[in-house]
Amino acid sequence: MFQCFFGLFLLPVFGLLVGLTGTNAECPVELNPQRVVVKYGSSVSVNCSTNITHKGIGWEASEGSVPKKTDQNLTTWRVESLTRWDIKSFCYINDAKQCEIDLPITIYKTPDSVSINTADHTGPMTEGSTYKLQCDVVNVAPVQNLIVKWYKGETLMHNETFTDPIKTPVNKTSMLQITPDRSHDGVQYRCEAELELGAEGPQPPPAVTSEHIQMTVLYPPQHISLVQTIGKKDGDVSLNCTVAANPSATYTWNSKHLKETRTSSVLSSSLLSPGNYTCTAKNLLGDSSKVFIINSAGDRSTVVAYILVLRLLVALKIII
Ligand SMILES: *[C@@H]1O[C@H](CO)[C@@H](O)[C@H](O)[C@H]1NC(C)=O
Ligand SMILES: *[C@@H]1O[C@H](CO)[C@@H](O)[C@H](O)[C@H]1NC(C)=O
Ligand SMILES: *[C@@H]1O[C@H](CO)[C@@H](O)[C@H](O)[C@H]1NC(C)=O
Ligand SMILES: *[C@@H]1O[C@H](CO)[C@@H](O)[C@H](O)[C@H]1NC(C)=O
Ligand SMILES: *[C@@H]1O[C@H](CO)[C@@H](O)[C@H](O)[C@H]1NC(C)=O
Ligand SMILES: *[C@@H]1O[C@H](CO)[C@@H](O)[C@H](O)[C@H]1NC(C)=O
Ligand SMILES: *[C@@H]1O[C@H](CO)[C@@H](O)[C@H](O)[C@H]1NC(C)=O
């Protein structure tokens, strides 16, 4: 259904092309199919037919030519194993004069391999630096129909197409520049080489995908809020300084209320006295400090409100 629709759509385009290239647009023969997409090494067969009386109809081709026939209105060009990248084929008919129609042929070959690597870089990456990922596609044809797609997880990030008019298999490299941040740590990248061969080609388009590479990104700790106030209502308080970092951060605590050094990321105790506790998380890329303020028992805001009300009452009394 889809192919049929596409065929109808292509008809006027094909007619126009034939007109433009100077081939006789009036040539009263019909090719079926009008163009072919063939996998390298596989078979192909195309009919050329007419419904006028003529002096001969035949195929001229680099391989599999069909001699001129005068007693038939249909002639079939057939090759069992197409292995000529430069193949050319056209159907001709002899009437008052000879005219011919070229058969457009696309021969394709899926890549032998598709591989991904971090170009000239090994080991983990650092947040904020720029790197290149490289995708190598080996032995693919035709490169004009090749599209290299880059995926981060399952998201298409980028694709690249090529315009070289070469028909024989080539090797191609696609590059992707990335500036990883902390969210890229552990994320997988892959590339995929797809041959977009149009409606006459195989559906879905043939594709070869690379392995995944998993990113390791080094980044310093970074607290989102730098100050946190904690009311000491229920006795037990927990100061949680845990923060993401790669490699993991080490922790130091600073407070005049602490007697011994603490190295855990969480301080949890009912014995912590009110005051400021400063925690510093640190790894080889940097550090980040956060101040925890433990309020003394009683909610400071209600105390403030209470004082305000008292002052108002006093002021009212004075006015009265
Ligand atoms: C054959 O005849 C039909 C109808 O008369 C016409 O539409 C068609 O184009 C003809 N085919 C060729 C190859 O001339
Ligand atoms: C070509 O013609 C032959 C004989 O009429 C027929 O069997 C075959 O299906 C035709 N092929 C195409 C692609 O139309
Ligand atoms: C070919 O077509 C012509 C014109 O329509 C017709 O007269 C002739 O009989 C046909 N020949 C064959 C072999 O079908
Ligand atoms: C290729 O990428 C462009 C944008 O970069 C996008 O619009 C297009 O749909 C992509 N093509 C395919 C086949 O995914
Ligand atoms: C493509 O790469 C392969 C393997 O690296 C090599 O054997 C081959 O000769 C290359 N082909 C071309 C056209 O450069
Ligand atoms: C501290 O915070 C981290 C990250 O926000 C969380 O995963 C962890 O469970 C918390 N620990 C405690 C003891 O609350
Ligand atoms: C506690 O830390 C806060 C916020 O950094 C600061 O404004 C306040 O002066 C500190 N209090 C003491 C007693 O150091």
Side-chain angles (χ1 to χ4, degrees), residues 200-221:
E200 293 85 358
Q203 305 295 337
V208 177
T209 191
S210 72
E211 304 273 281
H212 294 274
I213 51 168
Q214 182 150 333
M215 314 270 287
T216 301
V217 182
L218 303 181
Y219 57 95

Side-chain angles (χ1 to χ4, degrees), residues 157-168:
M157 300 302 287
H158 178 66
N159 59 41
E160 186 172 356
T161 53
F162 306 87
T163 52
D164 326 27
I166 186 163
K167 288 182 171 173
T168 52

Side-chain angles (χ1 to χ4, degrees), residues 50-54 70-74:
T50 187
N51 47 18
I52 64 158
T53 46
H54 58 87
T70 49
D71 58 342
Q72 278 170 37
N73 292 339
L74 182 138

Side-chain angles (χ1 to χ4, degrees), residues 227 256 275-276 291-293:
V227 181
K256 61 179 179 188
N276 282 9
V291 183
F292 293 88
I293 304 170

Side-chain angles (χ1 to χ4, degrees), residues 179-291:
T179 305
D181 62 33
R182 54 195 59 212
S183 73
H184 289 67
D185 191 33
V187 163
Q188 292 185 324
Y189 272 88
R190 71 186 157 91
C191 62
E192 193 174 280
E194 196 176 287
L195 283 170
E196 298 273 9
L197 295 159
E200 293 85 358
Q203 305 295 337
V208 177
T209 191
S210 72
E211 304 273 281
H212 294 274
I213 51 168
Q214 182 150 333
M215 314 270 287
T216 301
V217 182
L218 303 181
Y219 57 95
Q222 210 167 72
H223 283 109
I224 293 161
S225 63
L226 301 180
V227 181
Q228 186 182 342
T229 308
I230 292 161
K232 196 178 176 178
K233 281 184 224 127
D234 311 322
D236 224 1
V237 293
S238 175
L239 312 184
N240 190 348
C241 185
T242 313
V243 64
N246 191 14
S248 303
T250 57
Y251 298 88
T252 53
W253 291 88
N254 247 302
S255 174
K256 61 179 179 188
H257 306 292
L258 292 173
K259 298 199 169 59
E260 67 257 43
T261 47
R262 307 288 192 102
T263 56
S264 70
S265 62
V266 182
L267 282 196
S268 190
S269 165
S270 55
L271 302 173
L272 294 172
S273 19
N276 282 9
Y277 295 78
T278 303
C279 164
T280 303
K282 180 176 176 161
N283 73 3
L284 57 96
L285 292 165
D287 56 46
S288 169
S289 293
K290 175 167 180 171
V291 183

Side-chain angles (χ1 to χ4, degrees), residues 22-36:
T23 315
N24 191 351
E26 312 272 277
C27 199
V29 294
E30 203 171 84
L31 300 184
N32 192 4
Q34 289 185 347
R35 60 171 304 229
V36 285

